[in-house]
């Protein structure tokens, strides 16, 4: 019962954030400075998710066997992404490097 | 705003076929994301069963948050015995970037009826946002936009639920340690997208700034670092624009000093 309530609560939290701008205040015009700030959101949100995911295993005392593969795979993906345009190809390159490093050095 | 062509507003057979084409185009565009996100869903499904929320609880929570990151964070907190308000606040904070996505998508969906907007908002996830916003950059009518978005969102949701089911079925066969290994494909895909977004020096500075902010603010509670770094990165981008404008003005005036 508590779990059901918790899940309902989580659903409300997860969807209020999506619904409010799209459904409730769907017609207001945004100020120019906000519009130009939004241009930087895709890159910034990706950086916010990626940097800790790649670097924090290393900082967690260095005892994680995933620290080095994650860093190597992350850097390889970034470099590949600068030269190859197709997302899936770049991702596969990164994941292959990740597992190779894990296999040989991990 | 983009004007839709009159032919597409017809509710005839042609329009229906067009909606179907857009729906599948949106779904197809998600292929790399579905592949990369699948392992994370497996981890989440297995973690749900292992964490003692059961089959229904895992599926319910998965559908409720529609997000791998929020689901895994929630399960982790539940396992640590965190109180409900902490779990709810974490879910809320992790979903705040969806608010920013929704604000960015809003002008493109303004012409839709409310229930359509509510439906599309439900399916809004990271991957859908990045693909849909790129598509919306091209001049397409509202009809194409709505069906493309719906196709993309449906594909991601179906993929997410399927991956959870596979994870639950595998259960304890998914070892705990595999977690980090199975989450890496999604991280790699995000890095690939980030690399593709680096198109000028201002974005470079903003991305590096956001990354540094995320690392520094990582210890904050409720996963606040995502919001802090995203907003910080956006502000840094605007500051770069201001600096660029000022620099341009300065070089212009020094080139033609007598014009003043």
């Amino acid at each position: 019962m508590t779990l059901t309530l918790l899940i309902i609560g989580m659903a409300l939290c997860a969807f209020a954030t999506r619904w409010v701008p799209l459904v409730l205040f769907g017609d207001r015009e945004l100020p120019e400075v906000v519009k130009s700030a939004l241009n930087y959101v895709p890159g910034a949100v990706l950086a916010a998710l990626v940097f800790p995911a790649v670097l924090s295993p290393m900082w967690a005392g260095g005892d994680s066997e995933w620290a080095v593969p994650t860093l190597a795979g992350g850097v390889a993906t970034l470099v590949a992404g600068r030269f190859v345009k197709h997302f899936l190809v770049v991702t596969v390159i990164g994941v292959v490097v990740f597992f190779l490093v894990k296999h040989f050095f991990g | 705003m983009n004007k839709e062509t009159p032919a597409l507003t017809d509710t005839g057979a042609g329009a229906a076929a067009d909606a179907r084409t857009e729906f599948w185009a949106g779904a197809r565009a998600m292929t790399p994301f579905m592949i990369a996100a699948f392992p994370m869903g497996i981890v989440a499904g297995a973690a749900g069963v292992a964490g003692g929320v059961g089959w229904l609880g895992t599926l319910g929570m998965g559908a409720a948050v529609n997000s791998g990151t929020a689901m895994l964070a929630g399960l982790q907190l539940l396992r640590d015995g965190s109180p409900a308000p902490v779990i709810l606040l974490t879910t809320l904070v992790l979903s705040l970037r969806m608010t920013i996505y929704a604000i960015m998508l809003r002008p493109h969906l303004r012409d839709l009826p409310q229930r359509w907007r509510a439906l599309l908002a439900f399916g809004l996830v990271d991957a859908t946002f990045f693909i849909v916003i790129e598509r919306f950059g091209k001049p397409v009518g509202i009809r194409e936009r709505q069906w493309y978005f719906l196709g993309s969102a449906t594909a991601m949701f179906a993929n997410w639920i399927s991956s959870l089911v596979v994870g639950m079925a595998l259960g304890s066969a998914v070892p705990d340690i595999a977690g980090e290994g199975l989450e890496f494909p999604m991280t790699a895909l995000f890095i690939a997208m980030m690399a593709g977004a680096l198109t000028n020096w201002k974005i470079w500075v903003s991305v590096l700034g956001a990354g540094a902010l995320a690392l520094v603010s990582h210890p904050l509670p409720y996963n606040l670092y995502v919001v802090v770094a995203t907003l910080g990165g956006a502000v840094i981008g605007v500051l770069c624009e201001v600096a660029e404008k000022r620099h341009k003005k300065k070089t212009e005036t020094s080139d033609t000093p007598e014009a003043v």
Side-chain angles (χ1 to χ4, degrees):
Chain A
M1 193 55 218
T2 22
L3 183 65
T4 313
L5 283 177
L6 181 68
I7 289 175
I8 293 171
M10 286 172 89
L12 287 177
C13 290
F15 288 106
T17 48
R18 293 161 161 103
W19 273 328
V20 166
L22 268 178
V23 182
L24 290 185
F25 305 105
D27 303 316
R28 281 245 218 97
E29 197 62 43
L30 292 171
E32 282 306 316
V33 64
V34 175
K35 277 188 194 164
S36 64
L38 289 178
N39 291 330
Y40 296 93
V41 162
V45 79
L46 287 169
L49 296 171
V50 157
F51 275 66
V54 171
L55 293 173
S56 63
M58 213 169 46
W59 287 358
D63 54 350
S64 168
E65 54 177 315
W66 298 96
V68 176
T70 304
L71 183 63
V75 171
T77 316
L78 187 63
V79 172
R82 297 302 297 159
F83 296 102
V84 186
K85 280 295 140 230
H86 202 283
F87 285 156
L88 193 54
V89 177
V90 176
T91 307
V92 169
I93 292 173
V95 172
V96 167
V97 169
F98 172 80
F99 279 110
L100 281 179
V101 171
K102 171 80 179 93
H103 185 74
F104 288 111
F105 304 99
Chain B
M1 268 295 82
N2 310 310
K3 276 270 175 269
E4 48 185 304
T5 44
L8 296 175
T9 54
D10 289 342
T11 44
D18 183 68
R20 209 173 306 139
T21 319
E22 285 300 322
F23 183 90
W24 286 112
R28 253 198 321 276
M30 302 320 291
T31 317
F33 298 89
M34 298 195 324
I35 297 170
F38 208 87
M40 194 165 181
I42 294 181
V43 174
V49 175
V53 283
W55 278 74
L56 254 166
T58 307
L59 273 181
M61 197 185 285
V65 295
N66 194 11
S67 150
T69 3
M71 171 98 175
L72 283 172
L75 286 171
Q76 180 68 46
L77 290 170
L78 206 59
R79 192 154 49 174
D80 295 347
S82 306
V86 172
I87 299 177
L88 293 178
L89 204 53
T90 303
T91 312
L92 188 70
V93 171
L94 275 176
S95 307
L96 274 182
R97 63 180 191 277
M98 303 299 157
T99 305
I100 308 177
Y101 296 161
I103 291 173
M104 290 176 76
L105 289 170
R106 202 179 60 151
H108 302 282
L109 303 173
R110 196 173 302 180
D111 301 335
L112 286 179
Q114 289 232 341
R115 59 199 152 82
W116 258 96
R117 278 186 269 167
L119 177 69
L120 294 180
F122 175 84
L124 180 58
V125 293
D126 290 300
T128 295
F129 165 74
F130 288 112
I131 288 302
V132 165
I133 196 83
E134 195 181 306
R135 167 82 178 181
F136 288 0
K138 292 161 195 151
V140 284
I142 185 67
R143 218 188 134 71
E144 282 101 321
R145 276 178 261 150
Q146 87 190 70
W147 287 102
Y148 190 88
F149 195 147
L150 186 68
S152 156
T154 308
M156 284 310 283
F157 190 72
N159 188 66
W160 164 238
I161 296 298
S162 316
S163 63
L164 280 180
V165 171
V166 172
M168 289 187 297
L170 291 175
S172 51
V174 180
D176 230 16
I177 191 68
E180 285 168 82
L182 289 179
E183 279 166 43
F184 188 76
M186 201 61 207
T187 306
L189 182 56
F190 281 160
I191 298 173
M193 288 159 62
M194 193 178 80
L198 298 167
T199 47
N200 63 51
W201 72 271
K202 289 166 285 180
I203 298 179
W204 269 98
V205 175
S206 146
V207 159
L208 290 175
L213 272 174
L215 292 173
V216 172
S217 59
H218 201 242
L220 288 179
Y222 316 120
N223 287 288
L224 269 167
Y225 72 94
V226 181
V227 182
V228 169
T230 304
L231 294 180
V235 169
I236 290 169
V238 172
L239 291 178
C240 286
E241 265 179 26
V242 171
E244 190 182 49
K245 257 179 218 153
R246 197 167 288 171
H247 180 75
K248 262 191 197 144
K249 208 177 271 175
K250 205 181 276 174
T251 48
E252 265 168 33
T253 48
S254 62
D255 281 352
T256 54
E258 62 275 12
V260 182

